Amino acid sequence: QKQLVESGGGSVQSGGSLRLSCAGSGFDFSVFCFGWFRQLPGKEREGIAAIDGDGLTDYIDSAKGRFTIARDNDKNTVYLQMNDLEPDDTAMYYCAADRYRRLPRTWLLPNIWGKLELGGQGTHVNVSS
């Protein structure tokens, strides 16, 4: 069956880096667009980065310059490189996939998660000060 599995979360100190991975299986990875979401305690799940099939990307303002989303179609994996992490980045991070939502900026709109085809179970990131 179609599946997304995130990994790479953990605990780091402020200013540190992590690289999250999202491995896809059971579907034609290359035709999908992908996004990374996060959910802070007590808040809605928000899109923070997205990438289309051609490598076009977009980010929320707080991620620009610190986070980089990338995809490797040969490995069926999407990555989120996170640098200069801050305590406010502490959250559960999820990846998602969709064949039809082609514009990366539309992944960053509110209340998108429930409209996407596939979503993973998440990986936790904790940033201490």
Side-chain angles (χ1 to χ4, degrees):
Q1 75 275 22
K2 299 174 183 176
Q3 192 175 16
L4 296 172
V5 179
E6 302 95 334
S7 61
S11 294
V12 295
Q13 290 189 322
S14 183
S17 298
L18 284 172
R19 188 177 78 158
L20 306 183
S21 298
C22 172
S25 60
F27 60 96
D28 186 353
F29 189 90
S30 65
V31 304
F32 277 70
C33 300
F34 294 87
W36 282 97
F37 292 72
R38 70 183 178 189
Q39 188 163 19
L40 281 66
K43 296 197 175 182
E44 296 294 320
R45 196 168 301 184
E46 63 172 351
I48 59 172
I51 186 166
D52 73 2
D54 295 321
L56 180 67
T57 60
D58 208 345
Y59 303 87
I60 58 170
D61 287 346
S62 62
K64 289 178 181 177
R66 299 191 302 130
F67 295 2
T68 302
I69 187 171
R71 62 189 295 163
D72 186 333
N73 290 342
D74 291 334
K75 295 183 178 179
N76 285 3
T77 302
V78 177
Y79 303 97
L80 185 68
Q81 177 67 44
M82 304 188 295
N83 298 327
D84 194 21
L85 284 161
E86 305 166 352
D88 285 348
D89 295 316
T90 295
M92 282 293 291
Y93 284 73
Y94 303 85
C95 70
D98 194 280
R99 284 169 287 180
Y100 307 110
R101 187 167 292 276
R102 311 302 298 183
L103 292 176
R105 62 178 174 81
T106 66
W107 288 67
L108 312 180
L109 297 172
N111 303 317
I112 291 300
W113 176 263
K115 301 176 182 178
L116 302 171
E117 290 187 76
L118 300 172
Q121 294 301 306
T123 185
H124 190 258
V125 170
N126 182 66
V127 185
S128 58
S129 58

